Every structure is written in C-alpha cells, then in structure tokens.
Amino acid sequence: MSKGDFIERQSTEIYTEESDLAALRAFLLDIDCLTPLNEWTGTFNLFDVLKIARTEIRHSNVLSWLLTPNENHGLGDSILKGFIQYVVTNFYDENDPSIFSTLLMDCHDFVIQREWRYIDILATSSEHKFLLAIENKIDSSEHDDQLNRYKKILDTTYPGYKAMYIYLSPSGDESSDPDNWCLMGYQDVLNIIEAERTKKKLLPEVELLVDNYIQTVRRDIVGDENLAKICAEIYAKHQRALDLIYENRPDKAFLLAEIVQAWAKEKTTADEIEVVLDKCSKAMTRFKTGTMSQILPDSKDTLSGWNTSNYYFYEIRNFEGNAFIVSLAVSSHDIPDDLLEMCNRINAVFPSKIQKNNWQWRKHFATRKIKVDDELNEEKIYQHLDKCLNEVKVFEKELIEKLNLPFVD
C-alpha cells in the first residue's frame, strides 16, 4: 500500500447496497480462495474451543505440566532439561566451571510449582540444591519491581541454591534486570518442545494436546508469517465482502505494519535507508543505513544471527499496533574478529544492557516508545517515523565522533 492509499480507502470509498451485494457475489464465486487456510482452519484445536489461545495463566499451566518430569505426558525431564540448556547456552559465561554439572543433572526429582509467592513457574531440586524460576508475560508487562522482588524472595527462601531465572515473553523482550534474568522468547520454547516431541512416541491424547499447543503458540503468540501473508492476499481481493461478513478487520498490528513498511519503502527509494523486506514481519520492520553499513560492513564469509551477511539491523518493533519503537540491534553469531572489535568499541561508548562475555544480541540505541492512536492516522505515523529517523542520524553522527572515525556521508 502506497502512502495515501490507506487514508483514501477510509475517506473516499462510498459503499451502496448494490456494491455490497456485488462484493459478496464476487467473494462467493471465488470461495476457493479460502482453500489455503485449511491448514489452519480444517483441524481441531482444543485451545480454540476453550478460548484460551492467549490466556497467560493457561500457557503457564501447560508449561508447568510439560516441565514436570514425572507427569503423564511421557516426555520425562527432557523439557526441563531443554530450558536449563537454553539458559546455559544463552546466559552463562562459557568459562563457568559449573556448566558440566548443571547439564549432567538428573532432573527427575524436581518439583514444579505454580504461582508460588506469585512466581509463575518455580522448579526446585533439594537433591541438587538448584532452582529455575520463570516469569511468563504474554499480553502484560513487568510491574512493581517484581523481578527484583522475586529474586530476593528466592535468595532468602533457598539459601545456597544455584538459581536460574528466565523472563519469558512472545519475542524475548528485554527485562528490567538483564544481569540476572535470562531472556527467552516463545519461539525458543517451541524449538525445545518440537525437538523433544519428535524423539518420543507419545500417547494419542498427549500427542493431540502437545500438537495443539505448538500450533496455538506458533499462530497466536510467535506469529505465523505464511498465514499472515495468505490472509492479507485474500483480504486485499475481497475486502468489502469480508468486512460485511466479519465484525473485525485484520488486527491493528497488521495495519500498522503495512504503514510502517510503506514508509520504509519510500525512504529506501529516496536512498535514506535500505529496508530488507525478507527480514520484515508484522511485528518487526528491519532496515540498514549507509553510515552504519560503513561502520559495520557486511561479512563475505560468515552469517549473522539473522542469517544475513550484515551484523546489525535497525528494527521498528510493532507493539500489537498500539505503539512502536526504533532500535539498533547487533548480532555476535559467527562474527568476524574485526567486526567484533568494532562492536566492543560501540559498546564502550553506547553500552547495551547486555554485558555478558558470551552475548548474542545487543541493543545500543533506541527511541522512546511512540504510541499510536486507534484510527491509525498514516500521516501522523509517517511524521513520527521521520522524527525517529532523524534521531538515528543524530545517534550515528555522535557515534562517529566518539569513535573518532573519518566522516561518513
């Protein structure tokens, strides 16, 4: 959608009863356009029936069940071990001498508790003097200094225990205490469950529940890009008919992403940025700049955590269509030594919250969160994005000065 199309669609299009009937007739004649959705709509899903697809407490209940080693799911302690391995891989210092004993633990004596002292999930082992605490967020955010408060409670109640803390959110959001709480996204949860699911023969009823849960998380929390693309194509073709049939149009996040990516395409045409569309989604629009690409040039031989030759992206994060933020993210995955050295120099002048030696992702710059009105005024959103881009340019100029680099056009 080009700039102005969204406003024009709302303000100039006039519908009549005759045109509405024509739209419905055209849709019915093209009903086979819905066939690609059978993959998602043609199967039974327990979470849809119970209407709990995005209910945080229900997801914590399912995770608690899967994490319990002696439960009747048949997965043993494999899911709990998967969570522990994730923390070791993504949060531990690689020189930590306790890594081997942690990974070799027999976890069958772990006790899993829900809402113990308001902590979503708590796993403890008296034999190994080990605990794993998980704070689960789906459609809510931190409040009342809760992470720090939970840690103090656990330190007091379980003195001498080795502790792991996980802050779980749909896309692995940063927490208020990144030094103690390991960030984890629901895609990471899916990776663990799916890997173990394929290794074991489960009872039919357990298999159905686990597969339903995987489908629900992928569709409603992580975001299934293929599903979103198919829905967008159908909606574009039969917009008026679907508006008449359904009470709700595509969600606000999808519409905001459309506007943001239209802006990014215009700025790319104007040679101000370079949007990378195959790394964009409803939740994230990613772009590069000429200046930052000179500071952190592409690698010829290795690939970043995004599976790209570039090791940074500016990311426009879409908060469910209600707000957005622009930040600079850097990946350390297979990073060449010269780029790692530059990343460390950047970190010295614009420190990231993540300061671990074995960091995988860092963010060195972020605008304030921009709230979006319910009407999704495209002109206002463009203005906000322009201001954010100006902040990016100011940041890059300051970065060049602090790093004492030659002036970059």
Side-chain angles (χ1 to χ4, degrees):
M1 180 189 299
S2 63
K3 184 176 180 181
D5 285 351
F6 183 80
I7 296 175
E8 182 180 357
R9 177 188 294 176
Q10 291 188 328
S11 61
T12 64
E13 204 161 9
I14 299 175
Y15 297 114
T16 64
E17 182 178 352
E18 184 179 349
S19 65
D20 286 347
L21 290 172
L24 288 170
R25 189 181 304 112
F27 175 66
L28 292 173
L29 289 171
D30 190 31
I31 199 67
D32 288 344
C33 71
L34 299 179
T35 301
L37 295 176
N38 287 345
E39 179 182 348
W40 294 272
T41 62
T43 57
F44 168 81
N45 189 297
L46 178 63
F47 295 87
D48 290 339
V49 175
L50 297 177
K51 301 187 185 302
I52 56 174
R54 289 191 68 90
T55 306
E56 188 175 288
I57 190 172
R58 307 306 177 201
H59 280 274
S60 293
N61 286 343
V62 175
L63 289 176
S64 176
W65 176 67
L66 290 170
L67 287 165
T68 303
N70 298 310
E71 262 290 2
N72 55 3
H73 45 60
L75 294 167
D77 64 352
S78 61
I79 304 300
L80 179 57
K81 281 187 172 181
F83 273 66
I84 292 172
Q85 183 176 351
Y86 176 87
V87 177
V88 168
T89 303
N90 293 278
F91 200 66
Y92 271 36
D93 189 311
E94 59 186 6
N95 297 316
D96 190 324
S98 68
I99 285 179
F100 292 105
S101 61
T102 298
L103 292 176
L104 292 173
M105 277 193 305
D106 182 336
C107 296
H108 282 89
D109 77 306
F110 271 73
V111 175
I112 313 297
Q113 300 179 75
R114 282 280 291 116
E115 295 294 337
W116 180 86
R117 302 286 291 272
Y118 299 105
I119 297 170
D120 288 326
I121 301 174
L122 177 63
T124 57
S125 167
S126 57
E127 178 183 342
H128 298 288
K129 288 194 174 300
F130 192 100
L131 70 84
L132 171 68
I134 302 173
E135 180 60 20
N136 184 23
K137 299 294 185 186
I138 294 181
D139 289 325
S140 60
S141 58
E142 292 179 62
H143 56 84
D144 301 329
D145 195 30
Q146 62 184 146
L147 297 187
N148 183 49
R149 180 159 41 85
Y150 293 163
K151 184 178 182 302
K152 287 180 179 178
I153 291 172
L154 291 169
D155 288 345
T156 302
T157 309
Y158 295 94
Y161 273 54
K162 184 171 183 61
M164 283 184 172
Y165 305 97
I166 291 177
Y167 183 71
L168 175 61
S169 63
S171 54
D173 294 343
E174 288 191 6
S175 74
S176 61
D177 186 9
D179 291 332
N180 292 301
W181 290 77
C182 176
L183 308 180
M184 189 175 192
Y186 263 89
Q187 181 59 56
D188 303 308
V189 174
L190 281 184
N191 293 342
I192 294 170
I193 296 174
E194 289 183 307
E196 298 305 322
R197 157 76 176 80
T198 59
K199 295 177 184 177
K200 295 178 174 63
K201 179 65 175 176
L202 304 179
L203 292 173
E205 58 270 28
V206 173
E207 188 175 82
L208 175 64
L209 178 59
V210 172
D211 288 346
N212 279 185
Y213 184 65
I214 289 171
Q215 180 190 53
T216 299
V217 171
R218 178 173 290 112
R219 182 194 63 198
D220 296 315
I221 296 181
V222 174
D224 190 320
E225 294 183 13
N226 189 38
L227 173 61
K229 181 180 178 182
I230 292 172
C231 289
E233 290 173 351
I234 295 172
Y235 185 76
K237 191 174 183 180
H238 297 289
Q239 178 193 339
R240 183 55 183 164
L242 293 173
D243 285 347
L244 289 168
I245 296 170
Y246 301 107
E247 293 182 1
N248 299 307
R249 302 187 181 200
D251 65 17
K252 192 178 175 185
F254 173 84
L255 295 174
L256 177 59
E258 247 191 345
I259 296 172
V260 170
Q261 290 176 25
W263 172 87
K265 291 175 186 177
E266 283 197 8
K267 292 300 176 182
T268 298
T269 301
D271 205 27
E272 292 189 56
I273 66 172
E274 179 188 348
V275 65
V276 183
L277 293 175
D278 63 353
K279 296 300 174 183
C280 295
S281 65
K282 182 171 70 173
M284 199 80 71
T285 299
R286 295 186 171 96
F287 67 89
K288 303 191 293 182
T289 66
T291 298
M292 191 55 65
S293 290
Q294 291 186 59
I295 297 173
L296 290 174
D298 290 0
S299 169
K300 296 180 180 178
D301 304 313
T302 57
L303 296 176
S304 70
W306 295 285
N307 201 32
T308 61
S309 58
N310 57 292
Y311 280 78
Y312 82 93
F313 270 120
Y314 283 103
E315 298 180 329
I316 306 176
R317 170 79 181 281
N318 181 344
F319 294 90
E320 299 296 328
N322 298 311
F324 65 85
I325 191 172
V326 181
S327 60
L328 171 66
V330 178
S331 166
S332 69
H333 181 267
D334 283 344
I335 191 169
D337 291 342
D338 58 334
L339 294 184
L340 179 59
E341 181 182 355
M342 180 57 72
C343 286
N344 290 334
R345 290 181 63 189
I346 294 172
N347 188 59
V349 295
F350 287 102
S352 168
K353 289 183 180 180
I354 306 298
Q355 291 297 324
K356 299 290 182 181
N357 291 332
N358 60 335
W359 62 276
Q360 293 193 7
W361 306 95
R362 280 179 173 169
K363 291 187 177 181
H364 300 286
F365 160 84
T367 65
R368 66 180 179 87
K369 186 181 288 188
I370 309 296
K371 292 184 178 180
V372 176
D373 296 333
D374 288 340
E375 67 269 18
L376 285 176
N377 186 298
E378 184 176 1
E379 185 175 356
K380 287 183 179 179
I381 293 171
Y382 268 56
Q383 290 173 354
H384 285 309
L385 287 166
D386 287 342
K387 289 179 181 178
C388 289
L389 183 57
N390 286 334
E391 290 184 43
V392 168
K393 293 176 181 178
V394 170
F395 161 74
E396 291 182 343
K397 182 178 180 182
E398 187 176 354
L399 180 61
I400 290 168
E401 293 172 351
K402 288 188 174 184
L403 294 178
N404 195 27
L405 297 174
F407 179 77
V408 183
D409 290 328

